Amino acid sequence: MKAVILNENFQLKDGFTDTSHPKENEVLVQIKASGFNPIDYQMLENELERKLISSPILGREFSGIVVEKGTKATQFNIGDEVFCGSGSMGSNGTYAEFIAVPEAIVALKPNHISFEQAAAIPSVGLTALQVFNRLTLDKKSTILITGAAGGVGSFLIKLLTAYHFQNIIATVGNEENRQLLVKIGLKNHQIINYKEKDLVENILKANDHQSFDIGIDLVGNKMSEITAEVLKINGTYVDVTALTTKESREILFNKGNIIMNISNYAYSMTKSYDYYKNNLNEISRLIENEIISPPNYKTIGNLSLETVLKAHYILKNNQTKGNKLIMTHE
């Protein structure tokens, strides 16, 4: 099968490899679309993410059609349209024509949306839903979301507003992203440009000069320090990036803050496959019932090295403009 392959020098190249046959509890899926995530290029650069490489083919989410089943796979039929957050649980990554995955992590694609829309869902949807489900929220909870116009942030805001949580302040970096958040339900006064002066003061002012119950940090580094500063004592810092700094950890410790680490990978370590299927099914239900809408996406190109490198460049330089980047597999 055609694939984009990582060589021994951690360089990507166009290539071909054998198509895996599904194991007894797996399905083989012909990939129709796949999504790009920051971890894809981070695996090429960072030691922490590099440890998660399980195949010379990268890519961790997809949509497609079931074309073969293992002898004990009973949950799907040949021809079913499915989507999946494969992570490192598949026979290979998603920069390929086919992938074999445990049927226990696969879900039927939501009705009435495209393969491209479906491929945009798993990573951001599972992450946002995990944040939403694990937080102890009431309608009075005050919530800060940094990097809110990205895939996880915008999906999370859709969830929060769908369930009538209103006390949300979000940070963005430009007017285009501000308008994106307005479109999905926030008001102008809830959106702060992190590039403006006196950021801490501006964030607190937007929250009636009160510290926050919850800070959901989707940026890390310097923004982890900002988030820590505006949290109240015993508040909750939600870490989605693992990019806290020494200074932010000191602030969080001194305030007695709870640190909630968010990881979809954690469930694969114990083969807790119900997490993936059940939450993808819940997201499908929300989309099919028009409670939330699918993520915005942008198709970068067909399966090729050129497409992968282009997507990695856009992600690395923070030029997604609120869109999930998608590769088609025609």
Side-chain angles (χ1 to χ4, degrees):
M1 66 177 176
K2 182 180 177 181
V4 178
I5 298 171
L6 189 66
N7 68 20
E8 61 275 7
N9 296 317
F10 285 90
Q11 296 173 322
L12 292 164
K13 62 179 183 178
D14 280 318
F16 290 87
T17 187
D18 293 337
T19 302
S20 298
H21 289 287
K23 298 175 183 177
E24 60 181 16
N25 291 309
E26 292 183 339
V27 291
L28 180 68
V29 179
Q30 179 184 4
I31 299 174
K32 302 296 287 184
S34 57
F36 292 99
N37 296 284
I39 193 172
D40 294 354
Y41 75 80
Q42 291 165 356
M43 282 179 165
L44 305 178
E45 302 175 355
N46 302 340
E47 193 62 33
L48 177 63
E49 284 80 6
R50 191 169 291 181
K51 292 177 181 178
L52 300 178
I53 293 177
S54 60
S55 163
I57 302 171
L58 302 183
R60 304 170 71 82
E61 63 185 334
F62 67 90
S63 63
I65 299 172
V66 175
V67 294
E68 188 178 342
K69 302 194 300 180
T71 56
K72 294 185 179 179
T74 60
Q75 299 179 32
F76 298 97
N77 298 313
I78 304 300
D80 280 348
E81 298 181 351
V82 297
F83 72 133
C84 178
S86 55
S88 57
M89 296 173 283
S91 58
N92 47 257
T94 63
Y95 298 176
E97 291 181 291
F98 297 90
I99 186 171
V101 287
E103 68 169 356
I105 67 172
V106 179
L108 290 171
K109 181 175 73 68
N111 291 326
H112 312 305
I113 70 171
S114 67
F115 284 109
E116 290 81 4
Q117 286 176 303
I121 293 170
S123 180
V124 298
L126 288 170
T127 302
L129 191 58
Q130 183 184 156
V131 172
F132 184 80
N133 287 337
R134 287 180 60 189
L135 283 171
T136 302
L137 294 169
D138 62 44
K139 294 300 190 292
K140 294 182 179 179
S141 296
T142 54
I143 305 166
L144 172 68
I145 304 175
T146 70
V152 175
S154 56
F155 202 97
L156 180 57
I157 289 170
K158 290 176 184 179
L159 284 170
L160 290 166
T161 55
Y163 287 97
H164 309 296
F165 293 97
Q166 300 294 331
N167 297 324
I168 304 165
I169 302 299
T171 68
V172 299
N174 55 57
E175 182 60 26
E176 188 173 4
N177 285 346
R178 173 187 291 273
Q179 292 306 317
L180 185 151
L181 296 189
V182 169
K183 187 176 180 180
I184 63 175
L186 294 190
K187 307 296 184 184
N188 267 308
H189 71 270
Q190 295 177 275
I191 306 168
I192 305 298
N193 189 326
Y194 68 80
K195 295 180 180 178
E196 294 178 355
K197 293 181 179 179
D198 304 316
L199 180 56
V200 168
E201 181 181 331
N202 290 342
I203 290 172
L204 290 173
K205 182 180 178 182
N207 195 43
D208 294 327
H209 300 282
Q210 301 296 313
S211 297
F212 288 79
D213 298 305
I214 297 160
I216 301 166
D217 184 14
L218 305 174
V219 179
N221 295 315
K222 181 62 178 178
M223 194 59 77
S224 70
E225 299 166 22
I226 300 294
T227 306
E229 284 190 49
V230 302
L231 276 178
K232 63 175 53 173
I233 291 173
N234 297 337
T236 299
Y237 174 87
V238 180
D239 186 2
V240 185
T241 69
L243 295 174
T244 54
T245 66
K246 180 177 181 292
E247 289 76 12
S248 67
R249 289 191 292 273
E250 288 180 357
I251 297 169
L252 293 168
F253 180 84
N254 290 336
K255 286 187 174 182
N257 293 143
I258 296 167
I259 300 176
M260 179 182 293
N261 295 302
I262 300 298
S263 171
N264 292 315
Y265 173 71
Y267 298 90
S268 70
M269 295 173 66
T270 55
K271 291 184 167 52
S272 302
Y273 291 154
D274 284 352
Y275 166 80
Y276 302 97
K277 182 187 291 287
N278 291 347
N279 284 295
L280 289 175
N281 284 335
E282 172 62 9
I283 292 167
S284 289
R285 183 189 71 81
L286 293 170
I287 290 173
E288 289 175 351
N289 290 319
E290 299 183 349
I291 295 171
I292 61 172
S293 59
N296 294 332
Y297 75 93
K298 181 179 181 180
T299 301
I300 299 300
N302 291 330
L303 173 62
S304 68
L305 175 61
E306 180 184 4
T307 298
V308 169
L309 294 178
K310 181 179 179 182
H312 285 195
Y313 177 86
I314 293 170
L315 285 169
K316 191 173 181 178
N317 290 280
N318 195 28
Q319 297 176 357
T320 61
K321 299 181 179 179
N323 292 305
K324 182 75 176 185
L325 304 183
I326 296 297
M327 178 165 62
T328 55
H329 297 236
E330 296 177 351

